[in-house]
Amino acid sequence: AVVSTQSTGQSLLSLAPPDALSKLCELIPAADTHINLRNSITADTYLFLLHFANQNALNETKTGALITLFKHLLSMIKDGKSLIDIVVESSQLLTCQKDFHPKMKF
């Protein structure tokens, strides 16, 4: 599953927040969150997405899709794409007119 840890097969959705945060920091990667504000905010944002998925009873596939889309949006913003380009590409991804590349998936 997309949001399962490889070593244990345990879903990130089933982990307590501190354990999920630790695993997320390995996956993102986001090292030194205790001293690196950017990494801390990034890790907390992904933890928020997991919490949102849990609270809304999203399964692993839907949670993986949510996180993958967020990751791609963040990447496009960091790359300096225009708002219209972000909207068009996101629409294409959501309507299956364009596929996520393997590197784009969480």
XYZ file of all heavy atoms in Angstrom:
814
model
N 0.834 -1.184 0.000
C 0.000 0.000 0.000
C 0.879 1.248 0.000
O 1.988 1.235 0.514
C -0.902 -0.004 1.213
N 0.368 2.308 -0.522
C 1.133 3.527 -0.691
C 1.598 4.104 0.633
O 2.714 4.587 0.743
C 0.293 4.581 -1.459
C 1.015 5.898 -1.540
C -0.020 4.070 -2.845
N 0.762 4.070 1.648
C 1.131 4.670 2.923
C 1.483 3.617 3.966
O 1.297 3.828 5.149
C 0.029 5.624 3.456
C -0.073 6.845 2.593
C -1.298 4.929 3.562
N 2.020 2.499 3.530
C 2.503 1.481 4.455
C 4.013 1.581 4.564
O 4.683 1.903 3.592
C 2.158 0.074 3.974
O 0.776 -0.148 4.063
N 4.524 1.298 5.740
C 5.969 1.293 5.891
C 6.498 -0.011 5.330
O 5.930 -1.072 5.542
C 6.373 1.455 7.366
O 5.800 0.391 8.110
C 5.912 2.779 7.928
N 7.582 0.078 4.584
C 8.138 -1.089 3.911
C 8.627 -2.140 4.906
O 8.431 -3.323 4.718
C 9.311 -0.648 3.027
C 8.900 0.291 1.923
C 8.686 -0.424 0.623
O 9.145 -1.533 0.450
N 7.998 0.208 -0.298
N 9.280 -1.712 5.974
C 9.916 -2.661 6.887
C 8.926 -3.485 7.692
O 9.160 -4.651 7.954
C 10.865 -1.920 7.830
O 10.153 -0.952 8.562
N 7.798 -2.892 8.073
C 6.854 -3.618 8.922
C 5.551 -3.945 8.214
O 4.789 -4.770 8.691
C 6.509 -2.790 10.182
O 5.832 -1.606 9.765
C 7.738 -2.447 10.977
N 5.281 -3.271 7.099
C 4.009 -3.459 6.432
C 2.877 -2.778 7.173
O 1.724 -2.890 6.806
N 3.201 -2.048 8.231
C 2.184 -1.384 9.036
C 1.777 -0.064 8.381
O 2.609 0.695 7.917
C 2.734 -1.114 10.444
C 1.715 -0.566 11.404
C 2.277 -0.416 12.795
O 3.471 -0.274 12.970
N 1.411 -0.453 13.774
N 0.505 0.194 8.345
C -0.010 1.410 7.744
C 0.333 2.622 8.602
O 0.227 2.577 9.828
C -1.521 1.304 7.610
O -2.071 2.546 7.259
N 0.730 3.709 7.935
C 0.965 4.960 8.656
C -0.316 5.436 9.326
O -0.276 6.109 10.343
C 1.480 6.035 7.702
C 2.906 5.880 7.208
C 3.211 6.903 6.121
C 3.888 6.033 8.348
N -1.460 5.068 8.741
C -2.741 5.476 9.306
C -3.006 4.842 10.669
O -3.766 5.375 11.461
C -3.881 5.117 8.348
C -3.933 5.907 7.049
C -4.948 5.291 6.099
C -4.259 7.354 7.324
N -2.370 3.700 10.934
C -2.621 3.012 12.202
C -1.634 3.404 13.300
O -1.795 3.002 14.440
C -2.571 1.495 11.995
O -1.246 1.094 11.671
N -0.626 4.200 12.945
C 0.391 4.577 13.931
C -0.061 5.771 14.765
O -0.807 6.631 14.291
C 1.701 4.946 13.220
C 2.407 3.834 12.446
C 3.612 4.402 11.703
C 2.837 2.714 13.378
N 0.433 5.829 16.003
C 0.208 6.995 16.846
C 0.952 8.175 16.217
O 1.971 7.977 15.537
C 0.725 6.725 18.254
N 0.476 9.411 16.411
C 1.109 10.566 15.771
C 2.640 10.650 15.916
O 3.310 10.889 14.912
C 0.405 11.764 16.415
C -0.961 11.241 16.709
C -0.731 9.798 17.136
N 3.224 10.424 17.102
C 4.693 10.510 17.176
C 5.396 9.465 16.303
O 6.412 9.760 15.663
C 5.002 10.275 18.656
C 3.744 10.601 19.381
C 2.637 10.233 18.430
N 4.828 8.258 16.238
C 5.417 7.204 15.414
C 5.218 7.500 13.925
O 6.122 7.285 13.121
C 4.813 5.844 15.766
C 5.106 5.445 17.202
O 6.190 5.807 17.717
O 4.249 4.779 17.811
N 4.037 8.004 13.577
C 3.770 8.363 12.189
C 4.697 9.487 11.744
O 5.240 9.459 10.639
C 2.309 8.771 12.019
N 4.900 10.469 12.619
C 5.793 11.579 12.297
C 7.209 11.091 12.055
O 7.872 11.505 11.103
C 5.766 12.631 13.411
C 6.591 13.890 13.166
C 6.115 14.620 11.920
C 6.514 14.802 14.383
N 7.656 10.177 12.884
C 8.997 9.612 12.725
C 9.145 8.912 11.382
O 10.141 9.096 10.663
C 9.278 8.642 13.876
O 10.514 8.012 13.703
N 8.148 8.094 11.011
C 8.180 7.390 9.725
C 8.086 8.369 8.560
O 8.755 8.212 7.544
C 7.058 6.359 9.633
C 7.272 5.165 10.523
C 8.469 4.365 10.039
C 8.661 3.142 10.910
N 9.895 2.438 10.609
N 7.234 9.391 8.702
C 7.113 10.393 7.647
C 8.440 11.105 7.405
O 8.806 11.360 6.261
C 6.041 11.423 8.016
C 4.607 11.017 7.794
C 3.665 12.019 8.440
C 4.305 10.879 6.320
N 9.143 11.415 8.483
C 10.435 12.103 8.349
C 11.431 11.263 7.563
O 12.283 11.803 6.857
C 10.993 12.472 9.717
S 10.092 13.827 10.490
N 11.319 9.943 7.668
C 12.179 9.057 6.881
C 11.742 9.043 5.424
O 12.576 9.033 4.517
C 12.115 7.627 7.426
C 12.724 7.442 8.792
C 12.471 6.038 9.341
O 12.189 5.115 8.544
O 12.543 5.872 10.568
N 10.438 9.028 5.173
C 9.908 8.911 3.816
C 10.016 10.192 2.996
O 10.216 10.134 1.784
C 8.435 8.477 3.864
C 8.152 7.084 4.401
C 6.658 6.895 4.603
C 8.696 6.035 3.447
N 9.875 11.336 3.642
C 9.766 12.599 2.889
C 11.058 12.938 2.142
O 10.938 13.293 0.969
C 9.320 13.748 3.806
C 7.900 13.479 4.291
C 9.393 15.086 3.109
C 7.415 14.430 5.361
N 12.218 12.941 2.542
C 12.796 12.943 3.886
C 12.812 14.354 4.492
O 12.887 15.330 3.765
C 14.210 12.448 3.650
C 14.559 12.907 2.281
C 13.247 12.918 1.509
N 12.769 14.377 5.809
C 12.822 15.641 6.551
C 13.632 15.406 7.820
O 13.101 15.031 8.849
C 11.425 16.118 6.885
N 14.923 15.620 7.701
C 15.815 15.383 8.832
C 15.873 16.601 9.757
O 15.539 17.716 9.362
C 17.217 15.069 8.315
N 16.284 16.358 10.968
C 16.545 17.420 11.951
C 15.359 18.362 12.158
O 15.522 19.580 12.207
C 17.784 18.232 11.560
C 19.027 17.371 11.439
O 19.186 16.448 12.262
O 19.832 17.616 10.523
N 14.173 17.791 12.283
C 12.983 18.632 12.433
C 13.003 19.449 13.727
O 12.306 20.450 13.819
C 11.693 17.790 12.386
O 11.767 16.761 13.364
C 11.484 17.193 11.010
N 13.813 19.043 14.671
C 13.897 19.780 15.936
C 14.704 21.067 15.781
O 14.588 21.965 16.614
C 14.473 18.890 17.039
C 15.825 18.348 16.744
N 16.039 17.400 15.765
C 17.029 18.632 17.276
C 17.328 17.120 15.709
N 17.950 17.847 16.609
N 15.507 21.191 14.710
C 16.299 22.409 14.511
C 16.096 23.046 13.128
O 16.492 24.175 12.905
C 17.813 22.159 14.735
C 18.326 21.057 13.821
C 18.096 21.871 16.189
C 19.834 20.864 13.865
N 15.480 22.324 12.211
C 15.265 22.829 10.853
C 13.790 23.154 10.685
O 12.953 22.261 10.536
C 15.714 21.782 9.831
C 15.614 22.267 8.410
O 14.624 22.873 8.022
N 16.645 21.987 7.619
N 13.464 24.446 10.695
C 12.069 24.886 10.667
C 11.354 24.436 9.390
O 10.211 23.971 9.438
C 11.982 26.404 10.807
C 10.579 26.998 10.881
C 9.795 26.415 12.056
C 10.659 28.510 10.986
N 12.011 24.535 8.248
C 11.386 24.130 6.981
C 10.997 22.649 7.024
O 9.890 22.272 6.661
C 12.320 24.386 5.809
C 11.723 23.962 4.478
C 12.701 24.200 3.365
N 12.936 25.622 3.259
C 12.942 26.288 2.117
N 12.748 25.651 1.000
N 13.153 27.578 2.094
N 11.923 21.797 7.479
C 11.632 20.364 7.572
C 10.546 20.083 8.596
O 9.714 19.197 8.404
C 12.894 19.576 7.903
C 13.825 19.450 6.721
O 13.480 19.800 5.601
N 15.019 18.949 6.954
N 10.555 20.828 9.677
C 9.538 20.646 10.713
C 8.146 20.972 10.185
O 7.187 20.223 10.392
C 9.863 21.533 11.916
O 8.884 21.391 12.911
N 8.030 22.084 9.466
C 6.738 22.481 8.900
C 6.287 21.467 7.847
O 5.117 21.076 7.802
C 6.821 23.901 8.304
C 6.996 24.916 9.439
C 5.590 24.223 7.459
C 7.356 26.310 8.980
N 7.219 21.006 7.022
C 6.894 20.009 5.994
C 6.378 18.729 6.638
O 5.338 18.203 6.246
C 8.133 19.714 5.117
O 8.551 20.926 4.484
C 7.823 18.664 4.064
N 7.096 18.238 7.638
C 6.685 17.003 8.316
C 5.331 17.174 9.002
O 4.475 16.291 8.927
C 7.749 16.583 9.322
N 5.124 18.318 9.654
C 3.844 18.575 10.319
C 2.692 18.638 9.317
O 1.582 18.195 9.607
C 3.899 19.869 11.130
C 4.678 19.728 12.415
O 4.969 18.584 12.824
O 5.014 20.769 13.021
N 2.956 19.170 8.129
C 1.919 19.264 7.103
C 1.508 17.871 6.634
O 0.320 17.579 6.489
C 2.400 20.124 5.921
O 2.747 21.417 6.423
C 1.318 20.256 4.866
N 2.498 17.001 6.414
C 2.176 15.625 6.020
C 1.451 14.895 7.151
O 0.540 14.103 6.901
C 3.437 14.865 5.598
C 3.875 15.183 4.192
C 4.808 16.177 3.936
C 3.355 14.483 3.106
C 5.215 16.471 2.639
C 3.750 14.764 1.806
C 4.678 15.765 1.583
O 5.068 16.048 0.300
N 1.845 15.162 8.396
C 1.141 14.559 9.531
C -0.303 15.048 9.575
O -1.223 14.270 9.841
C 1.866 14.883 10.843
C 1.311 14.209 12.087
C 1.415 12.687 11.978
C 2.059 14.693 13.333
N -0.514 16.328 9.280
C -1.875 16.867 9.201
C -2.682 16.115 8.145
O -3.849 15.779 8.367
C -1.846 18.367 8.885
C -3.186 18.904 8.453
C -4.187 19.135 9.385
C -3.455 19.140 7.117
C -5.436 19.598 8.993
C -4.702 19.609 6.715
C -5.692 19.844 7.650
N -2.081 15.848 6.982
C -2.784 15.110 5.929
C -3.177 13.713 6.406
O -4.282 13.239 6.123
C -1.930 15.026 4.666
C -1.721 16.340 3.914
C -0.699 16.160 2.795
C -3.031 16.883 3.370
N -2.262 13.055 7.138
C -2.591 11.735 7.694
C -3.742 11.836 8.687
O -4.645 11.006 8.702
C -1.378 11.110 8.375
C -0.326 10.496 7.476
C 0.836 9.969 8.313
C -0.911 9.366 6.649
N -3.696 12.864 9.536
C -4.755 13.061 10.525
C -6.087 13.334 9.813
O -7.128 12.768 10.183
C -4.392 14.218 11.459
C -5.416 14.473 12.515
N -5.643 13.611 13.559
C -6.302 15.488 12.671
C -6.616 14.082 14.314
N -7.029 15.218 13.790
N -6.062 14.172 8.788
C -7.259 14.451 8.002
C -7.823 13.160 7.403
O -9.028 12.913 7.452
C -6.926 15.456 6.886
C -8.071 15.718 5.954
C -9.028 16.679 6.264
C -8.196 15.016 4.765
C -10.095 16.914 5.404
C -9.261 15.243 3.903
C -10.213 16.197 4.221
N -6.935 12.340 6.855
C -7.363 11.069 6.253
C -7.993 10.160 7.305
O -9.028 9.538 7.060
C -6.178 10.377 5.588
N -7.373 10.090 8.471
C -7.900 9.276 9.560
C -9.271 9.765 10.003
O -10.200 8.969 10.183
C -6.936 9.315 10.749
C -6.420 7.957 11.107
O -7.017 6.946 10.783
N -5.297 7.927 11.798
N -9.402 11.070 10.196
C -10.653 11.649 10.674
C -11.790 11.494 9.668
O -12.958 11.485 10.043
C -10.466 13.133 11.014
C -9.562 13.368 12.204
C -10.131 12.753 13.466
O -11.283 12.984 13.828
N -9.324 11.959 14.153
N -11.437 11.369 8.393
C -12.441 11.233 7.347
C -12.543 9.809 6.818
O -13.145 9.569 5.773
C -12.149 12.217 6.212
C -12.435 13.631 6.640
O -13.577 14.051 6.666
N -11.400 14.357 7.039
N -11.950 8.874 7.549
C -12.016 7.442 7.247
C -11.578 7.106 5.818
O -12.171 6.255 5.163
C -13.420 6.899 7.525
N -10.529 7.795 5.350
C -9.990 7.477 4.030
C -9.160 6.199 4.131
O -8.424 6.007 5.097
C -9.107 8.610 3.505
C -9.756 9.983 3.327
C -8.760 10.959 2.730
C -11.002 9.901 2.468
N -9.275 5.345 3.137
C -8.454 4.134 3.141
C -7.032 4.480 2.668
O -6.743 5.627 2.329
C -9.090 3.036 2.284
C -9.211 3.415 0.823
O -8.483 4.246 0.300
N -10.167 2.796 0.146
N -6.160 3.483 2.639
C -4.761 3.731 2.279
C -4.627 4.262 0.855
O -3.798 5.133 0.590
C -3.932 2.463 2.448
C -3.678 2.107 3.891
C -2.788 0.888 4.047
O -2.337 0.325 3.023
O -2.525 0.513 5.192
N -5.423 3.760 -0.072
C -5.341 4.208 -1.462
C -5.714 5.680 -1.584
O -5.003 6.464 -2.221
C -6.249 3.344 -2.360
O -5.849 1.982 -2.239
C -6.165 3.788 -3.805
N -6.811 6.063 -0.957
C -7.245 7.462 -1.012
C -6.274 8.371 -0.276
O -6.010 9.491 -0.711
C -8.659 7.603 -0.448
C -9.717 6.999 -1.353
C -11.101 7.145 -0.768
C -12.127 6.514 -1.695
N -13.482 6.619 -1.140
N -5.750 7.895 0.844
C -4.767 8.679 1.591
C -3.506 8.861 0.759
O -2.944 9.962 0.696
C -4.433 7.997 2.931
O -5.632 7.870 3.690
C -3.422 8.815 3.722
N -3.061 7.801 0.114
C -1.891 7.891 -0.755
C -2.112 8.870 -1.895
O -1.218 9.648 -2.251
N -3.322 8.867 -2.459
C -3.645 9.803 -3.541
C -3.622 11.247 -3.030
O -3.082 12.135 -3.695
C -5.008 9.469 -4.136
N -4.192 11.471 -1.856
C -4.195 12.806 -1.261
C -2.775 13.306 -1.038
O -2.422 14.425 -1.411
C -4.966 12.786 0.069
C -4.940 14.067 0.899
C -5.712 15.172 0.191
C -5.522 13.802 2.284
N -1.937 12.464 -0.450
C -0.556 12.861 -0.159
C 0.238 13.049 -1.447
O 1.020 13.992 -1.577
C 0.110 11.837 0.781
C -0.540 11.927 2.163
C 1.618 12.076 0.882
C -0.104 10.862 3.137
N 0.023 12.177 -2.422
C 0.723 12.299 -3.703
C 0.348 13.602 -4.402
O 1.216 14.315 -4.918
C 0.407 11.089 -4.608
O 0.905 9.914 -3.968
C 1.043 11.234 -5.975
N -0.936 13.933 -4.418
C -1.372 15.172 -5.053
C -0.784 16.380 -4.316
O -0.292 17.317 -4.953
C -2.898 15.248 -5.087
C -3.482 16.422 -5.839
C -3.015 16.433 -7.295
C -4.998 16.393 -5.783
N -0.811 16.356 -2.994
C -0.231 17.453 -2.216
C 1.260 17.595 -2.524
O 1.754 18.703 -2.738
C -0.442 17.227 -0.717
C 0.282 18.250 0.108
C -0.251 19.524 0.274
C 1.505 17.962 0.678
C 0.436 20.487 1.006
C 2.188 18.917 1.417
C 1.652 20.180 1.588
N 1.960 16.467 -2.545
C 3.404 16.492 -2.821
C 3.672 17.111 -4.192
O 4.580 17.919 -4.354
C 3.959 15.067 -2.752
C 5.429 14.955 -3.037
C 5.873 13.504 -3.007
C 7.326 13.374 -3.416
N 7.686 11.994 -3.703
N 2.855 16.753 -5.179
C 3.043 17.285 -6.524
C 2.719 18.780 -6.575
O 3.434 19.560 -7.216
C 2.198 16.503 -7.529
C 2.457 16.907 -8.933
N 3.692 16.772 -9.542
C 1.652 17.484 -9.856
C 3.635 17.230 -10.773
N 2.414 17.661 -10.982
N 1.653 19.204 -5.909
C 1.317 20.627 -5.853
C 2.456 21.428 -5.226
O 2.857 22.474 -5.734
C 0.028 20.848 -5.058
C -1.272 20.472 -5.730
C -2.426 20.517 -4.730
C -1.549 21.379 -6.904
N 2.980 20.923 -4.130
C 4.085 21.590 -3.447
C 5.302 21.681 -4.359
O 5.965 22.721 -4.432
C 4.428 20.839 -2.151
C 5.384 21.499 -1.191
C 4.865 22.849 -0.733
C 5.601 20.602 0.014
N 5.578 20.621 -5.092
C 6.703 20.606 -6.022
C 6.524 21.648 -7.125
O 7.475 22.365 -7.475
C 6.835 19.208 -6.631
O 7.806 19.186 -7.631
N 5.325 21.751 -7.674
C 5.073 22.735 -8.725
C 5.220 24.160 -8.197
O 5.754 25.035 -8.882
C 3.684 22.530 -9.338
C 3.572 21.285 -10.200
S 2.023 21.183 -11.137
C 0.808 20.988 -9.838
N 4.754 24.390 -6.977
C 4.884 25.717 -6.370
C 6.357 26.048 -6.168
O 6.810 27.146 -6.507
C 4.104 25.787 -5.037
C 2.606 25.732 -5.319
C 4.469 27.045 -4.261
C 1.754 25.473 -4.092
N 7.128 25.091 -5.637
C 8.558 25.311 -5.420
C 9.301 25.548 -6.728
O 10.282 26.279 -6.769
C 9.179 24.120 -4.690
C 8.817 24.035 -3.232
C 9.497 22.823 -2.604
C 9.226 22.695 -1.146
N 9.866 21.494 -0.559
N 8.823 24.915 -7.824
C 9.448 25.084 -9.137
C 9.078 26.412 -9.790
O 9.565 26.722 -10.871
C 9.062 23.937 -10.076
C 9.686 22.612 -9.682
O 10.634 22.604 -8.865
O 9.223 21.566 -10.191
N 8.194 27.164 -9.158
C 7.830 28.480 -9.665
C 6.821 28.471 -10.804
O 6.725 29.441 -11.556
N 6.073 27.390 -10.940
C 5.057 27.347 -11.995
C 3.974 28.380 -11.713
O 3.674 28.696 -10.563
C 4.437 25.955 -12.091
C 5.400 24.924 -12.656
C 4.659 23.730 -13.179
C 5.640 22.792 -13.851
N 4.971 21.722 -14.543
N 3.385 28.877 -12.776
C 2.315 29.865 -12.624
C 1.059 29.180 -12.070
O 0.882 27.967 -12.206
C 1.994 30.510 -13.971
O 1.371 29.576 -14.830
N 0.188 29.989 -11.512
C -1.046 29.456 -10.941
C -1.874 28.730 -11.991
O -2.398 27.641 -11.735
C -1.861 30.581 -10.298
C -3.191 30.180 -9.676
C -2.992 29.131 -8.588
C -3.902 31.390 -9.118
N -1.967 29.300 -13.183
C -2.763 28.660 -14.229
C -2.154 27.313 -14.621
O -2.875 26.340 -14.846
C -2.960 29.582 -15.467
C -4.028 29.010 -16.402
C -1.670 29.818 -16.202
C -5.412 29.004 -15.838
N -0.821 27.221 -14.680
C -0.172 25.936 -14.988
C -0.441 24.908 -13.901
O -0.675 23.729 -14.193
C 1.337 26.114 -15.162
C 1.702 26.838 -16.444
O 0.864 26.893 -17.365
O 2.834 27.365 -16.524
N -0.431 25.347 -12.662
C -0.707 24.439 -11.535
C -2.147 23.929 -11.620
O -2.404 22.740 -11.454
C -0.437 25.138 -10.187
C 1.065 25.405 -10.021
C -0.980 24.319 -9.021
C 1.416 26.292 -8.844
N -3.081 24.830 -11.894
C -4.494 24.455 -11.981
C -4.721 23.495 -13.151
O -5.393 22.467 -13.005
C -5.393 25.713 -12.111
C -6.818 25.339 -12.462
C -5.339 26.521 -10.829
N -4.147 23.809 -14.311
C -4.333 22.957 -15.491
C -3.754 21.570 -15.253
O -4.416 20.550 -15.495
C -3.708 23.615 -16.756
C -3.629 22.618 -17.904
C -4.505 24.842 -17.161
N -2.510 21.508 -14.761
C -1.885 20.198 -14.542
C -2.615 19.407 -13.468
O -2.822 18.203 -13.614
C -0.410 20.351 -14.184
C 0.290 19.009 -14.132
C 1.803 19.108 -14.128
O 2.352 20.112 -14.592
O 2.418 18.140 -13.658
N -3.030 20.062 -12.397
C -3.772 19.372 -11.336
C -5.093 18.834 -11.877
O -5.492 17.708 -11.555
C -4.036 20.320 -10.160
O -2.822 20.739 -9.593
N -5.767 19.623 -12.694
C -7.027 19.176 -13.302
C -6.801 17.953 -14.185
O -7.598 17.018 -14.167
C -7.650 20.293 -14.138
O -7.996 21.371 -13.318
N -5.717 17.972 -14.953
C -5.405 16.833 -15.812
C -5.133 15.579 -14.991
O -5.557 14.484 -15.358
C -4.204 17.150 -16.705
C -4.500 18.173 -17.766
C -3.261 18.609 -18.524
O -2.141 18.510 -18.031
N -3.460 19.105 -19.739
N -4.433 15.734 -13.883
C -4.152 14.591 -13.015
C -5.436 14.059 -12.383
O -5.649 12.850 -12.317
C -3.131 14.969 -11.937
C -1.719 15.244 -12.434
C -0.888 15.898 -11.333
C -1.052 13.968 -12.921
N -6.285 14.957 -11.918
C -7.517 14.548 -11.242
C -8.529 13.918 -12.190
O -9.332 13.089 -11.776
C -8.149 15.743 -10.522
C -7.383 16.233 -9.294
C -7.942 17.568 -8.821
C -7.440 15.203 -8.180
N -8.488 14.292 -13.453
C -9.427 13.737 -14.430
C -8.797 12.616 -15.252
O -9.373 12.176 -16.248
C -9.946 14.839 -15.379
O -8.839 15.449 -16.046
C -10.749 15.882 -14.622
N -7.623 12.169 -14.838
C -6.902 11.061 -15.485
C -6.528 11.347 -16.943
O -6.374 10.429 -17.738
C -7.685 9.760 -15.376
S -7.970 9.254 -13.677
N -6.400 12.617 -17.296
C -5.911 12.982 -18.622
C -4.383 12.931 -18.645
O -3.782 12.977 -19.706
C -6.396 14.381 -19.005
C -7.900 14.465 -19.164
C -8.363 15.892 -19.415
O -7.567 16.781 -19.703
N -9.654 16.123 -19.296
N -3.798 12.873 -17.465
C -2.348 12.794 -17.306
C -2.078 11.869 -16.128
O -2.807 11.884 -15.143
C -1.779 14.197 -17.043
C -0.285 14.240 -16.908
C 0.210 15.665 -16.722
C 1.724 15.632 -16.585
N 2.257 16.987 -16.494
N -1.033 11.051 -16.257
C -0.682 10.125 -15.186
C 0.466 10.667 -14.344
O 1.329 11.386 -14.845
C -0.247 8.767 -15.751
C -1.404 7.973 -16.318
O -2.532 8.152 -15.815
O -1.185 7.201 -17.252
N 0.462 10.282 -13.078
C 1.599 10.573 -12.218
C 2.757 9.698 -12.648
O 2.582 8.507 -12.913
C 1.279 10.262 -10.746
C 0.420 11.289 -10.077
C -0.931 11.051 -9.884
C 0.960 12.482 -9.630
C -1.720 11.993 -9.255
C 0.179 13.420 -8.999
C -1.170 13.187 -8.811
N 3.939 10.254 -12.732
C 5.135 9.466 -12.986
C 5.515 8.780 -11.674
O 5.194 9.280 -10.592
C 6.295 10.351 -13.449
C 6.002 11.087 -14.718
N 5.919 10.457 -15.934
C 5.746 12.393 -14.956
C 5.642 11.341 -16.851
N 5.516 12.538 -16.287
N 6.219 7.642 -11.723
C 6.594 6.964 -10.475
C 7.323 7.865 -9.481
O 7.109 7.756 -8.279
C 7.501 5.826 -10.968
C 7.027 5.547 -12.354
C 6.610 6.892 -12.912
N 8.161 8.780 -9.966
C 8.889 9.682 -9.060
C 7.955 10.662 -8.357
O 8.297 11.220 -7.338
C 9.940 10.478 -9.819
C 11.096 9.669 -10.315
C 12.108 10.600 -10.986
C 13.103 9.831 -11.797
N 14.011 10.729 -12.519
N 6.777 10.877 -8.936
C 5.830 11.829 -8.361
C 5.034 11.221 -7.225
O 4.433 11.933 -6.428
C 4.854 12.321 -9.440
C 5.505 13.134 -10.537
S 4.470 13.317 -11.993
C 3.095 14.239 -11.399
N 5.017 9.896 -7.129
C 4.174 9.227 -6.130
C 4.868 9.174 -4.782
O 6.058 9.013 -4.684
C 3.817 7.824 -6.600
C 2.949 7.825 -7.831
C 2.590 6.446 -8.273
C 1.741 6.488 -9.532
N 1.443 5.162 -10.032
N 4.047 9.283 -3.736
C 4.544 9.210 -2.364
C 4.688 7.764 -1.978
O 3.870 6.947 -2.274
C 3.561 9.900 -1.427
C 3.970 9.845 0.017
C 4.999 10.648 0.466
C 3.346 9.008 0.890
C 5.382 10.609 1.798
C 3.711 8.965 2.223
C 4.737 9.767 2.674
